Amino acid sequence: MKRLNFTLDEDAVDLLNSLADRYYEGNKSRTVRAALESLASHAGHDGWVITGYSPTRLDAEAACHSCGTEYQQGDVLFRPVFERGASPNALQQIPSETWLDCPSCAEERPTA
């Protein structure tokens, strides 16, 4: 975490306080972060992109999100790591369903 010093006019301070109270339980840092992410998305960052993968050992049978191949308990699949960014394959929102890719699909998928 890094501390930044900057000056806001009174209207901006009032808006920040209002948004923080309404949407982020008074957390001004989260409010500023959300505002910056929103600005970035409107300035050419298309959405959520995969920036890497995290290996996951299966607790139960599962299928690869991309190719549909089924895998057994104990096999290792890869969970994508999403971050905001620009890409032709960017998603508008992070998927709510479980997303696991097999080693072949994870290796073939371009990351940001």
Side-chain angles (χ1 to χ4, degrees):
M1 192 171 290
K2 186 172 185 174
R3 184 174 190 87
L4 300 175
N5 290 321
F6 54 92
T7 302
L8 300 174
D9 63 48
E10 194 61 37
D11 289 338
V13 171
D14 291 343
L15 178 59
L16 176 60
N17 288 331
S18 174
L19 292 173
D21 290 341
R22 183 179 305 163
Y23 298 108
Y24 299 99
E25 300 169 349
N27 187 321
K28 292 176 186 74
S29 180
R30 286 181 51 206
T31 306
V32 170
R33 179 185 176 103
L36 291 172
E37 287 177 347
S38 177
L39 175 62
S41 70
H42 288 92
H45 290 272
D46 298 322
W48 295 96
V49 296
I50 297 173
T51 57
Y53 283 91
S54 175
T56 303
R57 186 170 306 277
L58 297 178
D59 293 332
E61 292 181 358
C64 173
H65 175 84
S66 298
C67 70
T69 303
E70 301 218 0
Y71 291 86
Q72 304 298 314
Q73 178 180 352
D75 288 341
V76 175
L77 294 183
F78 295 87
R79 183 177 314 280
V81 175
F82 292 98
E83 290 185 14
R84 283 272 191 196
S87 167
N89 299 322
L91 304 171
Q92 291 299 316
Q93 60 187 18
I94 295 177
S96 58
E97 74 274 2
T98 301
W99 181 326
L100 297 170
D101 277 339
C102 67
S104 295
C105 291
E107 190 171 309
E108 291 174 9
R109 182 180 298 275
T111 57

